[in-house]
Amino acid sequence: MKVSFFPGCSLEGTAREYGESIQTVCSTLNVVLEELDDWTCCGASSAHCTSRYLATALPGRNLALAESVGSDLVTPCAACFSRLKTAVHELSGSDSVAREYALKRPVNVRHILEFLCSEEMVQGIEERIVKPLTGLKALSYYGCLLVRPPNITEEPHWEDPRSLDALLIHLGAECIYWSYKTECCGGSLLLTNVDISRRLIGRMLDMACETEAECIVTACPLCQVNLDTRQDEIGELNKKEYSIPVFYFSELMGLAFNEPDAGKWLRRHIVDPQPLLKAKGLL
């Protein structure tokens, strides 16, 4: 199977392990991610705060490229997904931006999590599990951009999404329910209003500890960075000690598939997940 792929900027920097693990598990599943030729930044997280024209034109250009290829457009970044889906909605209008980037047909933008959790992929995933994640107590964390607003994302269960939960269960993990699965982590506020972001992250870490889960699993590069890199800093402020590994879902897929590169991805995390995984016999 071949799909058009919009990698976004973060896979070349802070989310390298996400990009590498996605490429690896998709290759194992015989999915070819054909990178969109000559793609450009979608404008998250600044264009929509600067200019409505820019916020639509940047992702609109990429949608036009995808339209010429003629297949679904898959992206791994929740922010890219949000901007691309919003642009599809905006370009259905009749203003000057919509006329400039008019699409002959709507481009079907899909987040990589939605794509891999689709019916056509689930059987292939189950067939390739070599080392089930038995005994791993995990929290699924979607963040806010994957599911909201529902009129843009088209997520039917936007208050209680289920795809990541189901994937973790398929992989053999114990998925613990919590009410913070779609809470905001502060996103890029960590660059502009640190106090708000610290408060939001700290509240999530406290709730994660209350559930007695052993890790958090996400599908968003910004969420992973916020939750993984700030635990010492927030722990010092809150006079608590946090040590909760934060995985990309694709890394856990790689572990379950017994991919040899999994250890390389995990060594890049700030909160070291290797002791937990070794204790579970998964690494």
Side-chain angles (χ1 to χ4, degrees), residues 31-99:
V31 173
V32 177
L33 299 174
E34 194 165 83
E35 188 169 323
L36 202 62
D37 187 45
D38 196 33
W39 65 271
T40 49
C41 177
C42 70
S45 1
S46 55
H48 58 289
C49 300
T50 306
S51 159
R52 181 173 178 268
Y53 174 84
L54 200 59
T56 305
L58 285 171
R61 178 184 178 277
N62 294 305
L63 292 170
L65 293 172
E67 182 191 37
S68 66
V69 176
S71 67
D72 290 356
L73 182 60
V74 174
T75 184
C77 174
C80 294
F81 172 74
S82 176
R83 297 318 310 161
L84 289 165
K85 289 287 281 188
T86 300
V88 169
H89 182 76
E90 292 290 321
L91 293 176
S92 66
S94 58
D95 60 14
S96 59
V97 186
R99 290 194 299 272

Side-chain angles (χ1 to χ4, degrees), residues 122 125-126 129 165-173:
V122 169
I125 290 171
E126 292 179 342
I129 294 174
D165 303 56
L167 177 61
L168 291 172
I169 292 168
H170 282 307
L171 296 176

Side-chain angles (χ1 to χ4, degrees), residues 14-271:
T14 57
R16 280 176 56 209
E17 60 271 33
Y18 189 28
E20 291 173 11
S21 57
I22 284 171
Q23 291 288 348
T24 298
V25 299
C26 283
S27 177
T28 299
L29 293 166
N30 298 318
V31 173
V32 177
L33 299 174
E34 194 165 83
E35 188 169 323
L36 202 62
D37 187 45
D38 196 33
W39 65 271
T40 49
C41 177
C42 70
S45 1
S46 55
H48 58 289
C49 300
T50 306
S51 159
R52 181 173 178 268
Y53 174 84
L54 200 59
T56 305
L58 285 171
R61 178 184 178 277
N62 294 305
L63 292 170
L65 293 172
E67 182 191 37
S68 66
V69 176
S71 67
D72 290 356
L73 182 60
V74 174
T75 184
C77 174
C80 294
F81 172 74
S82 176
R83 297 318 310 161
L84 289 165
K85 289 287 281 188
T86 300
V88 169
H89 182 76
E90 292 290 321
L91 293 176
S92 66
S94 58
D95 60 14
S96 59
V97 186
R99 290 194 299 272
E100 184 173 350
Y101 290 93
L103 300 173
K104 295 182 179 65
R105 63 170 186 86
V107 176
N108 187 24
V109 178
R110 305 175 74 181
H111 189 272
I112 190 71
L113 175 65
E114 174 206 345
F115 172 71
L116 290 175
C117 290
S118 60
E119 287 186 16
E120 70 250 47
M121 299 302 302
V122 169
Q123 183 178 348
I125 290 171
E126 292 179 342
E127 289 173 351
R128 287 163 178 79
I129 294 174
V130 176
K131 190 184 293 184
L133 308 181
T134 307
L136 185 65
K137 298 178 180 179
L139 295 170
S140 61
Y141 178 55
Y142 300 79
C144 47
L145 293 176
L146 273 182
V147 295
R148 294 195 292 261
N151 65 311
I152 298 294
T153 64
E154 300 176 289
E155 167 58 54
H157 307 291
W158 59 277
E159 291 185 307
D160 184 19
R162 304 166 188 177
S163 55
L164 181 52
D165 303 56
L167 177 61
L168 291 172
I169 292 168
H170 282 307
L171 296 176
E174 179 184 345
C175 187
I176 298 176
Y177 185 85
W178 68 328
S179 59
Y180 277 55
K181 61 164 68 174
T182 62
E183 289 292 308
C184 180
C185 68
S188 57
L189 284 178
L190 203 55
L191 302 174
T192 57
N193 198 322
V194 179
D195 289 343
I196 291 177
S197 190
R198 283 174 178 162
R199 187 164 66 249
L200 292 172
I201 296 169
R203 191 172 64 176
M204 288 183 59
L205 293 174
D206 286 340
M207 181 58 70
C209 291
E210 281 189 31
T211 68
E212 299 184 355
E214 295 166 319
C215 63
I216 299 172
V217 186
T218 188
C220 173
L222 192 53
C223 294
Q224 198 280 338
V225 166
N226 280 354
L227 293 172
D228 182 44
T229 64
R230 297 289 171 164
Q231 293 191 30
D232 284 348
E233 171 190 331
I234 294 170
E236 188 173 335
L237 288 170
N238 293 351
K239 295 181 172 51
K240 297 180 179 179
E241 185 174 339
Y242 303 110
S243 184
I244 307 170
V246 184
F247 296 102
Y248 291 110
F249 74 93
S250 49
E251 293 177 309
L252 292 185
M253 290 180 70
L255 277 172
F257 293 175
N258 203 26
E259 298 289 356
D261 286 339
K264 179 179 68 175
W265 311 327
L266 300 170
R267 284 193 291 273
R268 296 182 185 140
H269 290 225
I270 299 301
V271 178

